[in-house]
Amino acid sequence: MKEQEYINDLKEIKDIMNRSSRFLSLSGLSGISAGICALIGAYFAYDILFNIGYDRNFIGEKKINALVLIGVLTLVTAIVSALYFTLNEAKKNNQKLWDLQAKRLLINLFIPLATGGILTLSLVEKGFIGLAAPLTLIFYGLALVNASKYTNSELRGLGIFEIILGLLASQFIGYGLWFWIVGFGFLHIAYGCYMYFNTKK
Amino acid sequence: MKDLLNDLNKAFENKVRLGIMAALVVNEYLDFNSLKELLGVTDGNLASHLKSLEKSEFVSVRKEFLNRKPNTKYAATEEGRIAFSKHIKAIENLLK
């Protein structure tokens, strides 16, 4: 009898530690929706990069501007859709979306992410377009690894995959879009599905 | 067996106190309201347990003003962290 009490105590302690230090409302659907946004964005980027419908001489600044615009739009829709599903999940769990844990998660996510984003933009501006894919993947992966301490620990695995993919991409400059599709599209969807089915129990 | 029981800390025998420590060791600090929400206890209950933990110097208190409203931050002391992990280890050993 005493033993059962202690086991319950330990369970409760673990639960309190988790709830108080981690943001647990990340939904698997958020990952899936972000992945789908990435794939749609990649489709438009592909169109601009390779479609013959465009003038072959239409390269340089205009093309890069269009690509950056697509990138930003993709990022925004991915964030908004992920936020929507997270909000739903938080409501279901009766948790507040904006609390200490969420704040901590976002700060720790955005420090590496913003560093990588700014670095990539300034390099692209100087003409190192080929570095965009590996750098974004690597910094995104680092951001996820860093943020995973403050949310579901599975995020760490996704981050490590993104880093590996980014390093690989640095060996195959020129195929950046394909690495993007795998990293931001398929990996997100795979992670989202994994989370969705694993946390439902 | 006797050694094992000695490691169980009397200060943590109460559930609320154990909960407070659990929350504080994984967070840099928490304020009164977050602790209350987390543990689902009443103001008075939480305050008295915090006081006793403060007395045994397992918890430190810092009062601040946030937009002119008083805001009290609680943190686990080094001593409290050590005592808590000892207590948990003792429970784990008992269950072995």
Side-chain angles (χ1 to χ4, degrees):
Chain A
M1 193 52 217
K2 193 87 182 158
E3 206 160 280
Q4 192 55 45
E5 246 172 67
Y6 279 128
I7 290 174
N8 284 341
D9 272 5
L10 284 183
K11 264 193 202 139
E12 224 168 291
I13 290 168
K14 209 178 145 201
D15 181 54
I16 288 171
M17 284 173 156
N18 261 330
R19 265 191 305 143
S20 70
S21 66
R22 286 159 185 268
F23 181 75
L24 294 173
S25 296
L26 271 187
S27 146
L29 292 175
S30 304
I32 297 174
S33 69
I36 291 170
C37 288
L39 289 183
I40 295 170
Y43 171 79
F44 285 115
Y46 183 88
D47 212 40
I48 287 187
L49 278 173
F50 303 110
N51 209 320
I52 333 149
Y54 280 90
D55 185 359
R56 284 231 174 240
N57 298 320
F58 175 61
I59 37 168
E61 203 149 310
K62 261 191 182 163
K63 215 169 187 177
I64 290 170
N65 282 345
L67 286 176
V68 169
L69 183 72
I70 288 175
V72 171
L73 278 179
T74 307
L75 190 68
V76 170
T77 40
I79 289 175
V80 168
S81 71
L83 220 77
Y84 170 78
F85 287 113
T86 304
L87 190 75
N88 262 2
E89 183 82 6
K91 238 186 233 161
K92 220 167 41 196
N93 298 344
N94 232 339
Q95 282 171 328
K96 273 189 283 179
L97 187 64
W98 188 242
D99 52 12
L100 195 71
Q101 286 86 282
K103 221 185 306 183
R104 214 162 28 184
L105 170 67
L106 285 182
I107 290 170
N108 287 288
L109 181 74
F110 273 104
I111 291 171
L113 202 61
T115 311
I118 294 166
L119 177 69
T120 308
L121 278 179
S122 75
L123 284 178
V124 165
E125 208 186 9
K126 295 203 162 54
F128 298 102
I129 307 158
L131 290 177
L135 282 181
T136 45
L137 284 167
I138 288 170
F139 276 97
Y140 180 60
L142 289 172
L144 290 183
V145 169
N146 199 38
S148 68
K149 279 170 269 172
Y150 305 98
T151 178
N152 319 64
S153 49
E154 286 88 349
L155 208 62
R156 191 185 171 83
L158 177 64
I160 287 169
F161 275 120
E162 302 278 6
I163 294 171
I164 292 170
L165 201 64
L167 290 174
L168 267 176
S170 71
Q171 281 294 313
F172 299 95
I173 297 222
Y175 295 91
L177 187 62
W178 299 108
F179 283 97
W180 252 74
I181 290 171
V182 174
F184 289 103
F186 291 118
L187 273 186
H188 271 152
I189 293 173
Y191 163 81
C193 290
Y194 174 81
M195 289 301 289
Y196 188 73
F197 291 113
N198 251 347
T199 50
K200 282 277 124 75
K201 270 172 225 157
Chain B
M1 191 63 196
K2 195 138 190 273
D3 277 355
L4 288 178
L5 287 173
N6 274 342
D7 276 343
L8 282 175
N9 201 318
K10 279 267 188 294
F12 302 137
E13 234 146 59
N14 179 286
K15 263 224 167 103
V16 179
R17 267 177 251 170
L18 199 56
I20 293 172
M21 285 312 290
L24 290 182
V25 290
V26 288
N27 286 285
E28 206 181 323
Y29 62 83
L30 285 173
D31 61 20
F32 192 86
N33 284 334
S34 346
L35 271 173
K36 197 175 78 170
E37 218 167 280
L38 190 70
L39 301 169
V41 290
T42 60
D43 279 17
N45 198 351
L46 179 60
S48 73
H49 286 304
L50 278 168
K51 193 115 239 159
S52 88
L53 283 172
E54 198 189 329
K55 234 178 231 155
S56 37
E57 291 186 353
F58 290 158
V59 162
S60 67
V61 184
R62 210 168 71 219
K63 283 195 192 265
E64 274 175 10
F65 282 89
L66 224 143
N67 301 328
R68 288 185 168 184
K69 268 195 255 162
N71 181 274
T72 320
K73 285 175 172 172
Y74 297 90
T77 62
E78 195 50 43
E79 215 176 315
R81 283 168 198 276
I82 293 166
F84 179 75
S85 71
K86 239 189 191 166
H87 183 77
I88 299 294
K89 277 214 187 86
I91 295 179
E92 279 170 348
N93 282 331
L94 273 176
L95 292 174
K96 263 181 199 160

